[in-house]
Amino acid sequence: MSVFQTYLQLGFFHIFNLQAYDHLVFLLALCAPYVAADWRRVLALITSFTIGHSVTLALATLGLVQYNPRVIEVLIPITILLTCGLNLRKAGQDTRRQALLWAAPNLLAAVFGLIHGLGFSSYLRQLLGQNSRPVLELLAFNVGVELGQLLIVALILAVGFVALRAAGMARRDWILVVSGAGAGIAAVLLLQNIAG
């Protein structure tokens, strides 16, 4: 197996892994207000998040940015809480009528991506060692993370489709349940990271 394939798999399994549940919960919260028919909006959100985390993942992995990993571990659940809070506040509103639908959520996703990219880089730096400055490994890892994210988003939209269509759940209720659960998980994670 090539170096590229190895780091591609490491990136994929890092995001598509229950040990990275903080990132999974963030993606769930990010996608909660949307249904499969909103795939263009979801794609725009995920692209914004990707741009954000790709920038800091590259800068931190290449040693161009220094940060405190403990601070990032506290900030990640805060991004989840804020996303869930926005979802809960907007639950029941027609998302098509919101004036800043594309700009504001995408900007927020990009900013939160900057924080999550530093979280990804902590894991990648552990794999590579402190003195390594790998470009190929960084690219492969990032592509793997993206493939994992796309699969997770597709699964979230599929579960949402089943809940809304097959089970007859109201969209507002779906947003409230998913965002409430995400906020609860994030709150526990935040308390653990502050205490730890």
Side-chain angles (χ1 to χ4, degrees):
M1 184 181 303
S2 71
V3 170
F4 188 89
Q5 289 173 318
T6 299
Y7 280 88
L8 181 85
Q9 286 184 2
L10 287 169
F12 179 85
F13 289 114
H14 178 62
I15 189 71
F16 200 80
N17 181 332
L18 290 180
Q19 291 179 347
Y21 70 93
D22 52 349
H23 300 296
L24 297 174
V25 174
F26 179 76
L27 290 173
L28 182 64
L30 197 62
C31 296
Y34 304 99
V35 295
D38 299 324
W39 67 269
R40 286 182 183 89
R41 293 179 186 150
V42 173
L43 184 60
L45 275 175
I46 297 304
T47 300
S48 299
F49 180 63
T50 297
I51 290 167
H53 78 65
S54 295
V55 167
T56 50
L57 174 61
L59 291 175
T61 302
L62 296 173
L64 302 173
V65 169
Q66 301 298 318
Y67 63 95
N68 183 335
R70 285 189 49 86
V71 171
I72 298 305
E73 292 303 315
V74 168
L75 289 176
I76 287 174
I78 290 173
T79 66
I80 300 167
L81 283 168
L82 290 172
T83 304
C84 291
L86 289 171
N87 292 347
L88 293 169
R89 192 176 66 98
K90 294 179 182 178
Q93 295 178 8
D94 185 357
T95 56
R96 284 169 266 214
R97 294 184 183 179
Q98 295 171 14
L100 298 176
L101 178 67
W102 290 87
N106 292 348
L107 180 60
L108 198 59
V111 170
F112 289 170
L114 295 171
I115 295 167
H116 285 252
L118 294 174
F120 294 146
S121 73
S122 293
Y123 174 73
L124 184 56
R125 294 294 292 168
Q126 288 175 355
L127 293 174
L128 296 168
Q130 294 301 318
N131 297 322
S132 181
R133 294 173 68 104
V135 175
L136 180 65
E137 291 89 338
L138 171 62
L139 175 64
F141 183 82
N142 201 35
V143 170
V145 166
E146 289 321 300
L147 293 174
Q149 280 186 174
L150 291 174
L151 181 56
I152 290 162
V153 168
L155 290 172
I156 292 167
L157 292 177
V159 170
F161 179 82
V162 170
L164 296 172
R165 292 290 175 100
M169 188 177 209
R171 189 169 179 174
R172 177 182 174 276
D173 295 342
W174 167 256
I175 295 169
L176 292 174
V177 168
V178 170
S179 298
I185 294 168
V188 170
L189 182 60
L190 179 61
L191 292 174
Q192 287 175 345
N193 289 340
I194 289 172

